[in-house]
Amino acid sequence: MDNFYDQAEKVLNRIDEQVTLIVANMKMGGILDPENIIFNSREIMKVMDVSKRTLQEWRDKNTIGFAKVNGKFYYKLSDIQKLINDNYTPKK
């Protein structure tokens, strides 16, 4: 069974993969501001390795900011970064 640090490392690796894609998009003339980089629920569930239910709990508890458009949820990169930073505990 993975310990907390192994799981955190996996999440950070997935985030790193997404950041690589974002940087590539930015270099190709994409959006630069994290406020304007938007993820849908499917992308967040994949990057954070969480279930649909966990994501719903985060929304219900105002753990993460979101927008609802035509029944679909969207999340800003800046809100994802805030969630991680607010819950980050450095390794001792």
Side-chain angles (χ1 to χ4, degrees):
M1 183 174 175
D2 291 337
N3 67 32
F4 170 78
Y5 294 107
D6 291 336
Q7 291 175 355
E9 184 175 16
K10 288 178 184 179
V11 169
L12 290 174
N13 286 336
R14 283 190 295 275
I15 291 170
D16 188 48
E17 291 171 7
Q18 290 298 312
V19 168
T20 300
L21 291 173
I22 291 166
V23 169
N25 283 333
M26 289 174 8
K27 287 181 179 180
M28 297 172 61
I31 301 167
L32 298 174
D33 184 0
E35 286 290 316
N36 296 325
I37 298 173
I38 306 296
F39 293 90
N40 64 30
S41 292
R42 181 182 46 80
E43 292 166 330
I44 296 299
M45 289 186 305
K46 183 176 179 180
V47 169
M48 299 294 290
D49 193 25
V50 296
S51 69
K52 194 178 215 180
R53 179 67 182 130
T54 296
L55 198 52
Q56 179 182 345
E57 284 182 28
W58 288 353
R59 289 191 308 266
D60 292 347
K61 294 179 180 179
N62 294 319
T63 302
I64 190 168
F66 65 93
K68 184 176 180 181
V69 180
N70 293 329
K72 294 186 179 187
F73 295 96
Y74 299 94
Y75 309 85
K76 293 180 181 181
L77 176 58
S78 59
D79 288 330
I80 299 163
Q81 291 169 324
K82 183 179 181 327
L83 172 65
I84 292 169
N85 289 334
D86 288 352
N87 291 281
Y88 181 75
T89 304
K91 188 173 181 178
K92 294 182 180 182

